[in-house]
Amino acid sequence: MEEILVVKNLKKTFKLSKKQQKIEKTKSDIKVAVNDLSFSTYKGEIYGLLGPNGAGKTTTLRIISTLIKADEGDAFIDGVSVKNSPDIIRKKIGFLTSELKLEDFFTPNYLYDYFSELHGVEKHTAEKRKNELFKKFGIDKFKEVKIGELSTGMKQKISLVISLVHDPNFIIFDEPTNGLDVLTAKMVTDFLIDLKNQGKTIIISTHIFSLIEKVCDRVGIIINGKMICSDTLENLTADMSLEDKFFEIYKQEVGEENE
Amino acid sequence: MNNIWTIIKKELKRIFTDKRMLASLILPGVLIFVLYSLMGDFMTSSFVPNENYEYRIVAINEPESFSSIHNSENYNIKIEDDITDVDTAKSMLANNQIELIIVYEEDFENKLLGEIKPNVSIYYNSTSTESTEIYNYYLTAFSVISVNVTYNFYVNATEDDFDLATDEDTSAMLITMLVPFLLLVFLFSGCMAVSTESIAGEKERGTIATLLVTPVKRSNIALGKVISLAIASLVSSLSSFIGLILSIPKLMGEVESITLSMYNLLTYIEILILMIVMVLLFTVVLSIISTFAKSVKEASQYSLPVMVIVMMFAMTSMMGTGASNVTLLYLIPVYNIVQCMNAIFSLSFNVVNFLITIFSNIVYIGIGIYLLTRMFNSEKIMFNK
């Protein structure tokens, strides 16, 4: 199988303020968010990064999407270094987050054109793709309605669509269903499967087991910034449910660290 | 009652344990103290005689016994003996070539002993700080002498106009005192309204990440933001400027002498150039603040002290002391623009100071944009949640 993303020995630390030290209950002014993290994803699969809050999932995805830089190690998409060629990487990837809240003032039509232009998509191609995506997601009826007047589900659909204006082959999705109502979460899940069927490679981060079970081909479990295991969903759930497997690993890991 | 107390405790805890909120509560008091102290200093300095200034006075028909009135410990007075014609002196006073004219009635000394009291006319120019200062000094001095039984006379008792300031000078003075201050406040408010939302808003909504993963260079994103904000702010400030200029005659009430005839197209172009530079500077500074802040609310809080500094500089135009002559001071951002506006409106435009102001501010804007670009590249700042 063809490797699309190769992550090699990523390390990322953050400086903690005194206030953060208090919250984290630590005397160290450095927090290791990601520590010697390595994994890879294959073409056309959905890879899930599973871990509790603060495990380093978002940091990993932000490094891969060029938003932040790793202290050590590197990631490669189609063999291109994230560290050395962020401009090339940005053309290849689509980055989505459920935290995204679009500006209420604009219409879906305007925002789609805006991001298409920023991604350098040709007008004719952009228009064709816009019509397809808008029709598919039922946005076409609301394309001239201001975002502020639309429902949460519709806003989320628009966020997804505008993040993919340039039709990227590699998609990074941070906490795709976090904080969404069941209907919108279902829509996002179906969308991920649809993208996979189109041959896209997707990496998601989540702490929701059901999402992983439903959409992912392979899973990486991250605890305290370390990749504890990376395997197919099939292998991980061979003798127990994903949830049980995760807590077994978690107990081992956290127990070992506490000892 | 217990519930009320519980709610009060919770609300007070929120207010008094949040450093930023606490600062916004205390800040007005600190700012009032700073502002009023500065205003006080300026006002005091305008009442204290300027020992280095030579006050040029024309005294016509002056009896010898009155010459001692010019002996002042506080003022450096020079009597212009060679001017004996009242009309020439008046014309000089109107052009700020002298500070005061004292005209005694003919045969003044003899008339003092007669039944009809003689008159002393004191002419001044209210648009000149020095002329007004020395006028007040002489008015007091003559009033003190006139109540003396031996020297019984009138001061400015005729229907003559003793203020020789021209309509243009009076208008220029009033406009100089008002317009730069109001203009700066409007400019800053206009910039603040759009700048805080633009970048801090994107950070707050999370859309900044979507923008930063596009192939667009971060320096281009920063520049695009600054230029668009500057255009929006400029429109807002232009509207304020036009409104202000049109409303000045109304603002001054029924004063018929208010006129804008002393200003020509060049004056407005000079002011427009200063406004563009000022708007760019404000936009860059506010964009830096907005980029640094985590939310729109935080950006507004951080902008407040900057606004006070701007207002402090803007207030220097209201002191009526004219534009500064010290060239080095024209390197101080904001202050230099206020002083240039002051000079333009008071018809004492200085091209060197104007150019220093423009170029120094362009340099500051350049440094600001460079800093902003660096900030856009800093993950610590862009994702400092």
Side-chain angles (χ1 to χ4, degrees), chain A residues 12 14 62 65-69 87 90-91 95 99-103 114-115 118-119 163, chain B residues 197 202 204-218 225 379-380 383 385:
Chain A
K12 180 71 184 174
F14 293 111
R62 281 185 174 175
S65 59
T66 74
L67 285 171
I68 59 175
K69 279 186 177 163
D87 293 340
R90 284 175 197 144
K91 285 178 189 165
F95 178 78
E99 280 182 13
L100 182 70
K101 288 173 194 76
L102 299 169
E103 268 178 273
Y114 172 68
F115 280 101
L118 291 182
H119 277 284
S163 305
Chain B
E197 158 63 28
E202 291 242 32
E204 203 174 339
R205 285 189 299 273
T207 42
I208 199 78
T210 314
L211 195 60
L212 294 179
V213 292
T214 62
V216 183
K217 276 188 180 172
R218 294 191 177 180
K225 291 262 177 199
E379 58 189 64
K380 240 185 208 172
F383 300 101
K385 278 202 169 179

Side-chain angles (χ1 to χ4, degrees), chain B residues 286-314:
Chain B
L286 287 166
S287 296
I288 289 172
I289 292 172
S290 183
T291 309
F292 184 75
K294 292 169 194 161
S295 64
V296 177
K297 190 183 163 195
E298 204 175 282
S300 304
Q301 278 177 339
Y302 291 153
S303 305
L304 197 66
V306 182
M307 186 173 190
V308 172
I309 294 169
V310 168
M311 281 177 73
M312 269 160 46
F313 282 138

Side-chain angles (χ1 to χ4, degrees), chain B residues 126-167:
Chain B
S126 63
T127 60
S128 154
T129 317
E130 289 79 16
S131 178
T132 310
E133 262 177 43
I134 203 72
Y135 170 71
N136 287 328
Y137 166 74
Y138 274 95
L139 206 59
T140 313
F142 276 114
S143 301
V144 170
I145 302 169
S146 69
V147 294
N148 186 305
V149 182
T150 324
Y151 297 106
N152 204 353
F153 58 91
Y154 294 118
V155 180
N156 286 1
T158 62
E159 287 183 353
D160 210 356
D161 192 357
F162 297 100
D163 181 4
L164 299 185
T166 59
D167 286 354

Side-chain angles (χ1 to χ4, degrees), chain A residues 15-47:
Chain A
K15 207 162 179 338
L16 293 178
S17 65
K18 286 199 171 159
K19 198 177 166 186
Q20 287 167 322
Q21 278 176 265
K22 238 181 178 177
I23 296 166
E24 300 265 340
K25 290 177 186 165
T26 175
K27 284 182 182 173
S28 168
D29 61 348
I30 299 272
K31 181 187 162 83
V32 183
V34 172
N35 196 2
D36 199 24
L37 196 98
S38 301
F39 67 98
S40 48
T41 62
Y42 300 112
K43 193 176 178 182
E45 74 170 6
I46 300 183
Y47 187 95

